[in-house]
Amino acid sequence: CIRDRFNPNGELVSRHRKVHMFDIDIPGKITYRESDTFTPGNALTVFETEHCKIGLAICFDLRFPEQAALMTKDGAKVIVYPAAFNPTTGPAHFELLPVSYT
């Protein structure tokens, strides 16, 4: 999973490669294995904008607060988590995960 970020001039300023692969097998409901198709990245994505540094992760990365802490340490003032979840795991993910960190 790769996400590119371009500046207003159309220049590539960052490339994000998802670090944590999402593999799941719920018998009778869903089987999905990103690791069958993708290889994980090995670096955090923090890029400079005209307003501030921004960290970029992917929805599943919400499960890894250490990643956000490292991006903050690298100067990120905002961290963005684009999300696309399936209907089986998505509702539980967004209902339970954010409150587990409060």
Side-chain angles (χ1 to χ4, degrees), residues 34-88:
E34 286 182 339
S35 62
D36 287 347
T37 307
F38 301 104
T39 55
N42 61 3
L44 299 177
T45 305
V46 176
F47 57 90
E48 189 72 53
T49 72
E50 59 274 13
H51 302 288
C52 66
K53 278 189 168 183
I54 296 178
L56 175 64
I58 300 295
C59 49
F60 187 59
D61 293 331
L62 283 167
R63 296 175 179 271
F64 304 94
E66 309 85 12
Q67 185 176 3
L70 289 169
M71 287 189 284
T72 302
K73 187 175 180 179
D74 196 26
K77 300 296 182 195
V78 174
I79 300 174
V80 180
Y81 293 92
F85 279 97
N86 66 64
T88 302

Coordinates of all heavy atoms in Angstrom, one line a residue, residues 34-88:
E34 N -3.4 -8.8 3.5 CA -2.5 -7.8 2.7 C -1.1 -8.4 2.5 O -0.6 -8.1 1.4 CB -2.4 -6.5 3.5 CG -3.7 -5.7 3.5 CD -3.5 -4.4 4.2 OE1 -2.6 -4.2 5.0 OE2 -4.3 -3.5 3.9
S35 N -0.6 -9.2 3.4 CA 0.7 -9.7 3.3 C 0.9 -10.7 2.1 O 2.0 -11.0 1.7 CB 1.2 -10.4 4.6 OG 0.4 -11.5 4.9
D36 N -0.2 -11.1 1.6 CA -0.2 -12.0 0.4 C 0.1 -11.2 -0.9 O 0.6 -11.7 -1.9 CB -1.5 -12.7 0.1 CG -1.7 -13.9 1.1 OD1 -0.7 -14.2 1.8 OD2 -2.8 -14.4 1.2
T37 N -0.2 -9.9 -0.8 CA 0.0 -9.0 -2.0 C 1.0 -7.9 -1.8 O 1.7 -7.6 -2.8 CB -1.4 -8.3 -2.3 OG1 -2.4 -9.3 -2.4 CG2 -1.4 -7.5 -3.6
F38 N 1.2 -7.4 -0.6 CA 2.0 -6.2 -0.4 C 3.2 -6.6 0.5 O 3.1 -7.5 1.3 CB 1.3 -5.1 0.3 CG 0.1 -4.6 -0.5 CD1 -1.2 -5.0 -0.1 CD2 0.3 -3.8 -1.6 CE1 -2.3 -4.5 -0.9 CE2 -0.8 -3.4 -2.4 CZ -2.1 -3.7 -2.0
T39 N 4.3 -5.9 0.4 CA 5.4 -6.0 1.3 C 5.4 -4.7 2.2 O 5.1 -3.6 1.7 CB 6.7 -6.1 0.6 OG1 6.9 -5.0 -0.3 CG2 6.8 -7.4 -0.1
P40 N 5.6 -4.8 3.5 CA 5.6 -3.6 4.3 C 6.7 -2.7 4.1 O 7.8 -3.0 3.7 CB 5.6 -4.2 5.7 CG 6.3 -5.5 5.6 CD 6.0 -6.0 4.2
G41 N 6.4 -1.4 4.3 CA 7.4 -0.4 4.3 C 8.2 -0.5 5.6 O 7.9 -1.2 6.5
N42 N 9.3 0.3 5.7 CA 10.2 0.2 6.9 C 10.5 1.6 7.4 O 11.5 1.7 8.1 CB 11.4 -0.6 6.6 CG 12.3 0.0 5.5 OD1 11.9 1.1 5.0 ND2 13.3 -0.7 5.1
A43 N 9.7 2.6 7.1 CA 10.1 4.0 7.5 C 8.8 4.7 7.8 O 7.7 4.4 7.3 CB 10.8 4.7 6.4
L44 N 8.9 5.7 8.8 CA 7.7 6.5 9.1 C 7.6 7.6 8.0 O 8.6 7.9 7.3 CB 8.0 7.2 10.4 CG 8.1 6.3 11.6 CD1 8.4 7.1 12.9 CD2 6.8 5.5 11.8
T45 N 6.4 8.1 7.8 CA 6.2 9.2 6.9 C 5.9 10.5 7.6 O 4.8 10.6 8.2 CB 5.1 8.8 5.9 OG1 5.4 7.6 5.3 CG2 4.9 9.9 4.8
V46 N 6.8 11.4 7.6 CA 6.6 12.8 8.1 C 7.1 13.7 7.0 O 8.2 13.6 6.6 CB 7.3 13.0 9.4 CG1 7.1 14.4 9.9 CG2 6.8 12.0 10.5
F47 N 6.2 14.7 6.6 CA 6.6 15.6 5.6 C 6.2 17.0 6.0 O 5.3 17.3 6.8 CB 6.0 15.2 4.2 CG 4.5 15.1 4.2 CD1 3.7 16.2 4.0 CD2 3.9 13.9 4.5 CE1 2.3 16.1 4.0 CE2 2.5 13.8 4.5 CZ 1.7 14.9 4.3
E48 N 7.0 17.9 5.4 CA 6.8 19.4 5.7 C 5.8 20.0 4.7 O 5.7 19.6 3.6 CB 8.2 20.1 5.5 CG 8.2 21.5 5.9 CD 8.2 21.7 7.4 OE1 9.0 21.1 8.1 OE2 7.3 22.4 7.9
T49 N 4.9 20.8 5.3 CA 4.0 21.6 4.4 C 4.2 23.1 4.7 O 5.0 23.4 5.6 CB 2.5 21.2 4.7 OG1 2.1 21.8 6.0 CG2 2.3 19.7 4.7
E50 N 3.5 23.9 4.1 CA 3.6 25.3 4.3 C 3.1 25.7 5.7 O 3.4 26.8 6.2 CB 3.0 26.2 3.2 CG 1.5 25.9 3.1 CD 1.2 24.7 2.1 OE1 2.0 23.9 1.8 OE2 0.0 24.6 1.8
H51 N 2.3 24.8 6.3 CA 1.7 25.1 7.6 C 2.5 24.4 8.8 O 2.7 25.0 9.8 CB 0.3 24.7 7.6 CG -0.5 25.4 6.6 ND1 -0.9 26.7 6.6 CD2 -1.0 24.9 5.4 CE1 -1.5 27.0 5.5 NE2 -1.6 25.9 4.8
C52 N 2.8 23.2 8.6 CA 3.5 22.4 9.7 C 3.9 21.1 9.1 O 3.6 20.7 8.0 CB 2.6 22.2 10.9 SG 1.1 21.1 10.5
K53 N 4.6 20.3 9.9 CA 5.0 18.9 9.6 C 3.7 18.1 9.8 O 3.1 18.2 10.8 CB 6.1 18.4 10.4 CG 7.5 18.8 9.9 CD 8.6 18.1 10.6 CE 9.9 18.2 9.9 NZ 11.0 17.4 10.6
I54 N 3.5 17.1 8.9 CA 2.4 16.2 9.0 C 2.9 14.8 8.9 O 3.8 14.4 8.1 CB 1.4 16.4 7.8 CG1 0.8 17.8 8.0 CG2 0.3 15.4 7.8 CD1 -0.2 18.2 6.9
G55 N 2.4 14.0 9.8 CA 2.7 12.5 9.8 C 1.5 11.8 9.1 O 0.4 12.2 9.2
L56 N 1.9 10.8 8.3 CA 0.9 10.0 7.6 C 1.0 8.5 8.0 O 2.1 8.0 8.0 CB 1.1 10.2 6.1 CG 0.2 9.3 5.2 CD1 -1.2 9.7 5.4 CD2 0.7 9.5 3.7
A57 N -0.1 7.9 8.3 CA -0.1 6.5 8.6 C -1.4 6.0 7.9 O -2.0 6.7 7.2 CB -0.1 6.3 10.1
I58 N -1.8 4.8 8.2 CA -3.0 4.2 7.6 C -3.9 3.7 8.7 O -3.4 3.4 9.8 CB -2.6 3.1 6.6 CG1 -1.7 3.6 5.5 CG2 -3.8 2.4 6.0 CD1 -2.3 4.5 4.6
C59 N -5.1 3.6 8.5 CA -6.1 3.3 9.5 C -5.7 2.2 10.5 O -5.8 2.3 11.7 CB -7.4 2.9 8.8 SG -7.3 1.7 7.5
F60 N -5.1 1.1 10.0 CA -4.8 0.0 10.9 C -3.7 0.4 11.8 O -3.5 -0.2 12.9 CB -4.3 -1.2 10.0 CG -4.1 -2.5 10.8 CD1 -5.1 -3.1 11.6 CD2 -2.8 -3.1 10.8 CE1 -4.8 -4.2 12.3 CE2 -2.6 -4.2 11.5 CZ -3.6 -4.8 12.2
D61 N -2.9 1.4 11.5 CA -1.8 1.9 12.3 C -2.3 2.5 13.6 O -1.5 2.8 14.5 CB -0.9 2.9 11.6 CG -0.1 2.2 10.4 OD1 0.1 1.0 10.5 OD2 0.2 2.9 9.4
L62 N -3.6 2.8 13.7 CA -4.1 3.3 15.0 C -3.8 2.4 16.1 O -3.7 2.8 17.3 CB -5.6 3.6 14.9 CG -6.1 4.8 14.1 CD1 -7.6 4.7 13.9 CD2 -5.7 6.0 14.9
R63 N -3.6 1.1 15.8 CA -3.3 0.1 16.8 C -1.9 0.2 17.4 O -1.5 -0.5 18.3 CB -3.5 -1.3 16.3 CG -4.9 -1.6 15.9 CD -5.0 -2.9 15.2 NE -6.4 -3.2 14.8 CZ -7.3 -3.8 15.6 NH1 -6.9 -4.2 16.8 NH2 -8.5 -4.0 15.2
F64 N -1.1 1.1 16.8 CA 0.4 1.1 17.2 C 0.7 2.6 17.6 O 1.3 3.3 16.9 CB 1.2 0.7 16.0 CG 0.9 -0.7 15.5 CD1 0.0 -0.9 14.5 CD2 1.4 -1.8 16.2 CE1 -0.4 -2.1 14.1 CE2 1.1 -3.1 15.7 CZ 0.2 -3.3 14.7
P65 N 0.4 2.9 18.9 CA 0.6 4.3 19.4 C 2.1 4.7 19.3 O 2.4 5.9 19.3 CB 0.1 4.3 20.8 CG 0.0 2.9 21.2 CD -0.2 2.1 19.9
E66 N 3.0 3.7 19.4 CA 4.4 4.0 19.3 C 4.8 4.7 18.0 O 5.6 5.6 17.9 CB 5.3 2.7 19.4 CG 4.9 1.8 20.6 CD 3.8 0.9 20.3 OE1 3.3 0.7 19.1 OE2 3.3 0.3 21.2
Q67 N 4.1 4.3 16.9 CA 4.3 4.9 15.6 C 4.0 6.4 15.7 O 4.7 7.3 15.2 CB 3.5 4.2 14.6 CG 3.8 4.7 13.2 CD 3.0 3.9 12.1 OE1 2.3 3.0 12.4 NE2 3.3 4.2 10.9
A68 N 2.8 6.7 16.3 CA 2.4 8.1 16.4 C 3.4 8.9 17.3 O 3.8 10.1 17.0 CB 1.0 8.2 17.0
A69 N 3.9 8.3 18.3 CA 4.8 8.9 19.2 C 6.1 9.3 18.5 O 6.7 10.3 18.6 CB 5.1 8.1 20.4
L70 N 6.6 8.3 17.6 CA 7.8 8.6 16.9 C 7.6 9.7 15.8 O 8.5 10.5 15.6 CB 8.3 7.3 16.2 CG 8.8 6.2 17.2 CD1 9.0 4.9 16.5 CD2 10.2 6.7 17.8
M71 N 6.4 9.7 15.2 CA 6.2 10.8 14.2 C 6.1 12.2 14.9 O 6.7 13.2 14.4 CB 4.9 10.5 13.5 CG 5.0 9.4 12.5 SD 3.6 9.3 11.4 CE 2.4 8.5 12.5
T72 N 5.6 12.2 16.1 CA 5.5 13.4 16.9 C 6.9 13.8 17.3 O 7.3 15.0 17.2 CB 4.7 13.2 18.2 OG1 3.4 12.9 17.8 CG2 4.6 14.5 19.0
K73 N 7.7 12.9 17.7 CA 9.1 13.2 18.0 C 9.9 13.7 16.8 O 10.8 14.5 17.0 CB 9.8 11.9 18.5 CG 11.2 12.1 19.1 CD 11.7 10.8 19.7 CE 13.2 11.1 20.2 NZ 13.7 9.8 20.8
D74 N 9.5 13.3 15.6 CA 10.1 13.8 14.4 C 9.5 15.1 14.0 O 9.9 15.6 12.9 CB 9.9 12.7 13.3 CG 10.8 12.9 12.1 OD1 11.9 13.5 12.3 OD2 10.5 12.5 11.0
G75 N 8.7 15.7 14.8 CA 8.2 17.0 14.5 C 6.8 17.1 13.9 O 6.3 18.2 13.7
A76 N 6.0 16.0 13.8 CA 4.7 16.1 13.2 C 3.8 16.8 14.2 O 3.7 16.5 15.4 CB 4.2 14.7 13.0
K77 N 3.0 17.8 13.7 CA 2.1 18.5 14.5 C 0.7 18.0 14.3 O -0.3 18.2 15.1 CB 2.1 20.0 14.2 CG 3.4 20.7 14.4 CD 3.7 20.7 15.9 CE 5.0 21.4 16.1 NZ 5.6 21.1 17.4
V78 N 0.5 17.3 13.2 CA -0.8 16.7 12.8 C -0.5 15.3 12.3 O 0.5 15.1 11.5 CB -1.5 17.5 11.7 CG1 -2.8 16.7 11.2 CG2 -1.8 18.9 12.1
I79 N -1.3 14.3 12.6 CA -1.1 12.9 12.1 C -2.4 12.6 11.4 O -3.5 12.7 12.0 CB -0.7 11.9 13.1 CG1 0.6 12.3 13.8 CG2 -0.6 10.5 12.5 CD1 1.0 11.5 15.0
V80 N -2.3 12.1 10.2 CA -3.5 11.8 9.4 C -3.5 10.3 9.2 O -2.5 9.7 8.9 CB -3.4 12.5 8.0 CG1 -4.6 12.2 7.1 CG2 -3.3 14.0 8.2
Y81 N -4.7 9.7 9.4 CA -5.0 8.3 9.2 C -6.1 8.0 8.2 O -7.2 7.8 8.6 CB -5.4 7.6 10.5 CG -4.3 7.6 11.6 CD1 -4.2 8.7 12.5 CD2 -3.4 6.6 11.7 CE1 -3.2 8.7 13.5 CE2 -2.4 6.6 12.7 CZ -2.4 7.6 13.6 OH -1.4 7.6 14.6
P82 N -5.8 8.0 6.9 CA -6.9 7.7 5.9 C -7.4 6.3 6.2 O -6.6 5.4 6.6 CB -6.2 7.7 4.6 CG -4.9 8.5 4.8 CD -4.6 8.3 6.2
A83 N -8.7 6.1 6.1 CA -9.2 4.8 6.5 C -10.2 4.2 5.4 O -11.0 5.0 4.8 CB -10.0 4.9 7.8
A84 N -10.2 2.9 5.2 CA -11.1 2.2 4.4 C -11.2 0.8 5.0 O -10.4 0.0 4.9 CB -10.6 2.1 3.0
F85 N -12.3 0.6 5.8 CA -12.5 -0.7 6.5 C -13.6 -1.5 5.9 O -14.6 -0.9 5.3 CB -12.9 -0.4 7.9 CG -11.7 -0.1 8.8 CD1 -11.3 1.2 9.1 CD2 -10.9 -1.2 9.3 CE1 -10.2 1.4 9.8 CE2 -9.8 -0.9 10.1 CZ -9.4 0.4 10.3
N86 N -13.6 -2.8 6.0 CA -14.6 -3.6 5.6 C -15.8 -3.6 6.6 O -15.6 -3.2 7.7 CB -14.1 -5.1 5.3 CG -13.6 -5.7 6.6 OD1 -14.4 -6.0 7.5 ND2 -12.4 -6.0 6.7
P87 N -17.0 -4.0 6.2 CA -18.1 -3.9 7.1 C -18.1 -4.9 8.3 O -18.8 -4.7 9.2 CB -19.3 -4.2 6.2 CG -18.8 -4.8 5.0 CD -17.4 -4.4 4.8
T88 N -17.2 -5.9 8.2 CA -17.1 -6.9 9.3 C -16.3 -6.3 10.5 O -16.7 -6.4 11.6 CB -16.5 -8.2 8.8 OG1 -17.4 -8.7 7.8 CG2 -16.5 -9.2 9.9

